[in-house]
Amino acid sequence: DQQVKQNSPSLSVQEGRISILNCDYTNSMFDYFLWYKKYPAEGPTFLISISSIKDKNEDGRFTVFLNKSAKHLSLHIVPSQPGDSAVYFCAATGSNDYKLSFGAGTTVTVRA
Amino acid sequence: GAGVSQTPSNKVTEKGKYVELRCDPISGHTALYWYRQSLGQGPEFLIYFQGTGAADDSGLPNDRFFAVRPEGSVSTLKIQRTERGDSAVYLCASSLEGRYNEQFFGPGTRLTVL
């Protein structure tokens, strides 16, 4: 059972524009959400996270929004840069839980 | 090195063979995790170690899979009688004790079973 879903397998965006990646979850016990970025032949690297007590967290060009009632979160990248081209994974976990549940990933391609 | 390292980076084996995949966590990280990423999917949890003991191996798909961490540092994931369906990227992550939200991942081992 896929508890975290990323329904868009790919996204193409022009350099300088906004990239919006979406993620939905089904487990109401999840209260901490993370975004990881992955380049080919490398492991996922942590990008940004958000706790369920917040609805927004911002770090430079990256902002994550959480809508708990809809069990939905999104990652905004503004402005998009060529180096942002990668696979982005949404992940979720519960309080004091060591297991991360991942979505299938969204491949972002930033066009020059 | 500063990060999590995994060896080999690629492993090709034949159906029915035995393989070992190694993970060197970040120094000082007592928590270690194994995940498996199949084609087109996100990483899926396999097993979690706190120190030398496997605190949770509920994600291991069957008894052909086994992992050890005898000295609380390096871990080895062992797969017996490999099957084609075992082909995947095996990822290792580590974190400080209790810092489950701060898992640092290695580059993975790509296992191909022919």
Side-chain angles (χ1 to χ4, degrees):
Chain A
D1 61 337
Q2 197 76 5
Q3 299 187 78
V4 179
K5 296 181 182 179
Q6 295 177 255
N7 292 320
S8 297
S10 64
L11 173 69
S12 180
V13 64
Q14 187 131 23
E15 182 179 2
R17 305 296 290 268
I18 185 171
S19 294
I20 300 177
L21 291 77
N22 293 303
C23 177
D24 297 289
Y25 62 96
T26 57
N27 190 337
S28 57
M29 299 301 290
F30 289 152
D31 62 4
Y32 196 83
F33 306 89
L34 310 91
W35 286 93
Y36 280 84
K37 177 179 180 179
K38 185 181 183 305
Y39 292 119
E42 295 183 13
T45 56
F46 171 77
L47 188 58
I48 192 169
S49 64
I50 188 166
S51 164
S52 60
I53 62 173
K54 295 185 175 181
D55 55 15
K56 177 182 174 181
N57 188 27
E58 189 172 353
D59 183 2
R61 297 185 297 113
F62 303 91
T63 303
V64 56
F65 296 91
L66 175 62
N67 182 334
K68 283 190 297 181
S69 61
K71 293 191 176 67
H72 176 85
L73 60 155
S74 61
L75 174 68
H76 292 208
I77 307 174
V78 182
S80 300
Q81 299 175 352
D84 297 332
S85 296
V87 178
Y88 290 77
F89 290 102
C90 173
T93 187
S95 295
N96 295 317
D97 192 358
Y98 40 79
K99 299 180 191 177
L100 295 178
S101 294
F102 285 85
T106 297
T107 301
V108 172
T109 303
V110 180
R111 309 185 310 272
Chain B
V4 177
S5 62
Q6 292 185 247
T7 54
S9 55
N10 280 282
K11 176 70 177 179
V12 180
T13 191
E14 293 180 343
K15 180 175 178 295
K17 299 289 188 182
Y18 168 82
V19 296
E20 289 190 351
L21 312 179
R22 175 186 167 111
C23 171
D24 279 90
I26 292 172
S27 178
H29 281 191
T30 57
L32 185 145
Y33 319 79
W34 284 97
Y35 291 81
R36 178 168 76 171
Q37 185 182 3
S38 299
L39 192 63
Q41 299 180 24
E44 293 179 306
F45 171 82
L46 294 178
I47 186 170
Y48 159 61
F49 285 91
Q50 182 52 51
T52 60
D56 183 349
D57 64 357
S58 63
L60 295 178
N62 51 61
D63 61 6
R64 295 186 297 104
F65 289 74
F66 190 71
V68 296
R69 195 184 184 201
E71 297 178 358
S73 179
V74 170
S75 176
T76 305
L77 179 65
K78 308 180 180 193
I79 311 173
Q80 298 177 322
R81 304 183 304 280
T82 52
E83 299 178 357
R84 292 195 179 91
D86 299 335
S87 297
V89 175
Y90 289 82
L91 293 163
C92 176
S94 70
S95 76
L96 293 170
E97 182 176 350
R99 306 290 284 270
Y100 310 127
N101 296 334
E102 298 175 14
Q103 297 183 26
F104 293 84
F105 283 83
T109 293
R110 179 175 296 279
L111 175 66
T112 303
V113 182
L114 301 177

